[in-house]
Amino acid sequence: SMIDIGPDLSRVALYARYSSPMQSPKSIPDQLRDCHRLIANLGGQVAAEYTDAKHTGKIAAFRTGLQALLTDCRRGRYTAICAESLDRISRNRTHLSQIYDELEYYGIPVLTIQDGGRVDDVHVALKATMNAIWMKDLAAKTRRGQRGIIEAGRQIGTPAYGYRLANVIENGQIIRGIREIDPETGPIVQKIFELYTSGMSGRALAHYLNEEGIPPPRRARQWTYNVLIGFNARSTILSNWIYKGLLVYGATERVLNPVTGRYKFRPRPQDKWDITEVPELRLVDDETWDAAQEQMLATSRPRKHFHKQGLLHEGHYPLTPLLRCSRCKGPVRTIAPDRWACQDSRARGRCRASTFILRDVDRLSAQQLTGWIRRRKEWAPIVQQARDQAAHARLRIDAALAERRPKVQRLLAALTAGARAGRRPKVQRLVAAITAGTDTREMRNALVRLENEIAELETRLDRLLAPPPIKADAAAIRPLLLQYAHRLQVEIETGRPEIRLPATIKLAGLLAHIDMSAGPTPGRARLRIQPDIVSLVRFATQMDVNA
């Protein structure tokens, strides 16, 4: 029998989400399809769809899709919302209860596929508690499994610089996490310790390694000071305990700031570390290792952790990826609260830009965007420029898709070759792959990453091609954008994190770059925003359509 879910399902909004970058983006269309089926069975009509990709369910404030849905619900645009389950909306007990209470206040029922229709207070309370318990249990089980791997002398993740995979097969199963010294990069690690303990500074050492053409770790484009110097048990070359034959687990813990939604790593006391001896992986003796640690402490200092700073310092985080040096166009990052530096200047020595001191990056950027919109009286040329940029973006995305799709096909062929050739050749090829240092799981992860990149590019392409089209008549664009930018500016200037940070995220979506340069006095900085006119024009067009 049909479940009574209320009198009005004429305008239902759907919501779908997936969290991990390793999950398939195809899960969102699957969720939406099942929601469409449920609403059709209940005799309702779907009015809109909202999605969030690669966003954790623990934090609701910074999911743009969910926030847009809630905003439109406050405006009375929908009579109900539907999701696959309550944990798609939020896994946080407080946030889920707040969202449910607000929707109940507006008379908007929540439907889920998992519950077969409308949820009530009991569903929300039980599901929120179960989600919280499940998340803690999952974290505990993950840590337990990782600790067991370390205690067995194996490693988690990719090999550290100086080592390579050495997985083996025992009783028909792949034993992963085994490492051995790489004959090519292992001596480089020994050379790094030798040069550093002989008196060479970290920056001079990085410059020397780059000049000699020595390949850096796989995640670094080149050798920098930050790749070499650090105070974590595994964070940098000179601080990684594995080079002295010790595997360390638990040197840091990852915690989620419930206000900012950002994960941070906090150091843990050394008496809480799990340390396992692996003498076969030792690359430097204790005397050299201790000399390197003493020199680091004498010439450097551990960086302070930002979680001890006030919440108002968190406002710049959504804008940090947009910051760049006006001199070399390289990235600008924080080195302390309110203090910024060009990465190419500090780490690579390729730029002469000095350190900048600047507060309230988000507030100044919002003010500049409002002024930029106000000064532009004629928007027809801007609309045409947005069209041209959108066309160029489509060409770039098409080229990126053409490059990635053959890689996916080759990986699929490599992973499925054994199934076509029979069991014995498959085992032989698997043994050969493991002997050569190729990890099948890593191949599968690479395949998932490529498929996710393709799906994300296709989504971006669909967004560029999707309605509403960019209008030729741009008379209404300026007042709509001016009103919206002014509202963001007011919300940011409140200084309240729960209002300021979501507004900063929305602001970041309207900007292409923020150039930072030296100001009128030493150490001060100037900002110059570069708006993303494609996003601005399309956003204004969408606002006009929804009005």
Side-chain angles (χ1 to χ4, degrees):
S1 61
M2 184 178 297
I3 299 176
D4 181 13
I5 59 171
D8 189 0
L9 289 180
S10 59
R11 301 188 310 278
V12 181
L14 309 184
Y15 178 72
R17 174 189 66 83
Y18 75 93
S19 54
S20 171
M22 294 305 295
Q23 290 179 296
S24 173
K26 296 178 182 178
S27 66
I28 283 183
D30 293 341
Q31 293 175 43
L32 294 175
R33 183 181 61 253
D34 292 342
C35 288
H36 273 282
R37 186 179 297 116
L38 174 65
I39 299 304
N41 292 339
L42 295 172
Q45 294 291 327
V46 174
E49 299 174 350
Y50 296 82
T51 63
D52 283 307
K54 293 186 290 188
H55 281 279
T56 176
K58 295 181 180 180
I59 298 295
F62 311 118
R63 281 185 269 152
T64 55
L66 179 62
Q67 293 304 317
L69 170 60
L70 295 177
T71 299
D72 289 340
C73 286
R74 296 179 189 117
R75 294 171 178 171
R77 291 181 177 171
Y78 309 118
T79 58
I81 68 170
C82 178
E84 180 186 47
S85 59
L86 285 174
D87 57 21
R88 295 299 94 196
I89 297 174
S90 180
R91 290 188 181 274
N92 183 287
R93 284 173 292 183
T94 303
H95 295 162
L96 182 59
S97 298
Q98 289 175 344
I99 293 170
Y100 176 77
D101 289 344
E102 182 179 3
L103 292 173
E104 188 178 44
Y105 171 76
Y106 291 117
I108 300 175
V110 179
L111 293 79
T112 67
I113 300 170
Q114 188 177 74
D115 299 298
R118 182 174 183 173
V119 300
D120 55 23
D121 294 355
V122 176
H123 283 97
V124 173
L126 289 176
K127 191 67 176 179
T129 303
M130 290 172 60
N131 282 339
I133 295 173
W134 180 82
M135 294 295 290
K136 290 185 178 180
D137 286 347
L138 178 63
K141 290 176 181 177
T142 301
R143 287 193 294 269
R144 184 182 64 198
Q146 292 176 343
R147 189 176 293 110
I149 292 173
I150 296 296
E151 290 176 354
R154 297 183 288 136
Q155 288 185 271
I156 303 168
T158 56
Y161 189 80
Y163 302 94
R164 65 183 182 184
L165 291 169
N167 298 339
V168 298
I169 294 179
E170 291 184 5
N171 299 324
Q173 292 185 344
I174 304 176
I175 307 300
R176 305 181 188 276
I178 301 177
R179 306 292 186 256
E180 65 181 8
I181 297 174
D182 188 336
E184 295 184 2
T185 57
I188 296 175
V189 172
Q190 295 172 329
K191 184 70 173 179
I192 289 172
F193 273 90
E194 178 185 345
L195 293 175
Y196 186 70
T197 54
S198 66
M200 184 177 287
S201 68
R203 288 187 173 83
L205 180 54
H207 181 74
Y208 166 79
L209 294 171
N210 289 323
E211 288 292 320
E212 293 294 320
I214 296 175
R218 71 174 68 185
R219 293 185 179 180
R221 291 180 298 176
Q222 59 180 345
W223 291 99
T224 64
Y225 174 86
N226 293 330
V227 173
L228 297 170
I229 305 295
F231 294 91
N232 189 321
R234 294 188 301 171
S235 63
T236 61
I237 297 292
L238 291 168
S239 66
N240 197 331
W241 285 42
I242 191 175
Y243 298 130
K244 62 179 293 187
L246 296 176
L247 280 179
V248 176
Y249 179 80
T252 60
E253 60 179 349
R254 194 177 78 151
V255 294
L256 178 68
N257 188 322
V259 178
T260 65
R262 288 176 58 89
Y263 281 101
K264 295 187 178 182
F265 287 91
R266 291 179 180 174
R268 302 177 72 222
Q270 189 167 336
D271 57 1
K272 294 185 178 181
W273 295 3
D274 294 313
I275 302 176
T276 303
E277 294 187 5
V278 281
E280 69 276 8
L281 297 181
R282 178 187 283 271
L283 280 172
V284 297
D285 55 47
D286 289 341
E287 183 180 354
T288 303
W289 169 266
D290 293 339
Q293 308 314 300
E294 292 176 3
Q295 184 169 338
M296 272 198 293
L297 288 173
T299 58
S300 307
R301 58 182 179 182
R303 184 175 179 178
K304 292 183 179 180
H305 292 274
F306 283 6
H307 69 271
K308 297 181 180 179
Q309 304 299 328
L311 290 175
L312 295 184
H313 294 286
E314 310 285 354
H316 65 259
Y317 282 131
L319 299 176
T320 300
L322 305 179
L323 292 174
R324 66 180 188 180
C325 174
S326 61
R327 181 187 292 267
C328 68
K329 305 305 180 186
V332 171
R333 296 294 181 261
T334 55
I335 57 174
D338 303 322
R339 190 178 293 271
W340 310 80
C342 170
Q343 280 194 338
D344 283 343
S345 172
R346 287 180 61 86
R348 304 179 181 97
R350 299 187 309 186
C351 179
R352 295 177 178 268
S354 58
T355 300
F356 308 129
I357 300 176
L358 188 67
R359 298 180 184 273
D360 299 330
V361 173
D362 51 350
R363 180 177 58 83
L364 295 175
S365 300
Q367 291 175 355
Q368 288 196 17
L369 180 62
T370 303
W372 186 91
I373 296 171
R374 183 181 290 114
R375 290 192 300 271
R376 267 102 188 134
K377 307 297 183 182
E378 296 293 332
W379 279 77
I382 298 177
V383 170
Q384 184 57 47
Q385 186 180 357
R387 281 191 178 130
D388 295 340
Q389 288 189 10
H392 288 303
R394 287 196 292 270
L395 292 175
R396 290 195 300 269
I397 292 174
D398 284 335
L401 286 171
E403 177 187 358
R404 284 167 174 77
R405 281 176 177 144
K407 293 181 180 179
V408 170
Q409 294 174 354
R410 287 195 295 269
L411 274 173
L412 281 172
L415 290 170
T416 59
R420 294 193 302 267
R423 185 170 298 174
R424 186 175 298 279
K426 180 179 180 180
V427 171
Q428 293 173 353
R429 274 190 295 273
L430 186 58
V431 172
I434 295 171
T435 304
T438 303
D439 193 309
T440 306
R441 184 174 59 181
E442 291 188 353
M443 291 175 65
R444 295 184 184 276
N445 289 344
L447 177 61
V448 172
R449 283 193 295 269
L450 279 171
E451 288 181 334
N452 289 350
E453 288 177 9
I454 289 175
E456 188 170 347
L457 287 169
E458 289 175 341
T459 301
R460 289 168 54 189
L461 185 60
D462 291 341
R463 192 179 299 122
L464 287 170
L465 298 173
I470 295 177
K471 294 182 177 180
D473 181 11
I477 289 181
R478 181 176 179 271
L480 286 171
L481 285 178
L482 192 59
Q483 178 185 6
Y484 184 70
H486 180 68
R487 187 168 81 235
L488 290 181
Q489 179 181 334
V490 171
E491 291 176 352
I492 290 173
E493 289 176 348
T494 62
R496 296 171 57 188
E498 68 274 13
I499 298 176
R500 177 180 182 177
L501 292 177
T504 307
I505 292 174
K506 296 174 184 176
L507 173 66
L510 301 177
L511 301 179
H513 299 290
I514 305 176
D515 288 335
M516 186 176 284
S517 60
T521 57
R524 298 295 167 177
R526 283 178 175 164
L527 289 184
R528 182 179 179 182
I529 65 164
Q530 177 61 50
D532 186 342
I533 61 172
V534 175
S535 296
L536 282 172
V537 173
R538 291 187 63 83
F539 180 76
T541 306
Q542 182 71 59
M543 289 177 65
D544 192 24
V545 169
N546 291 337

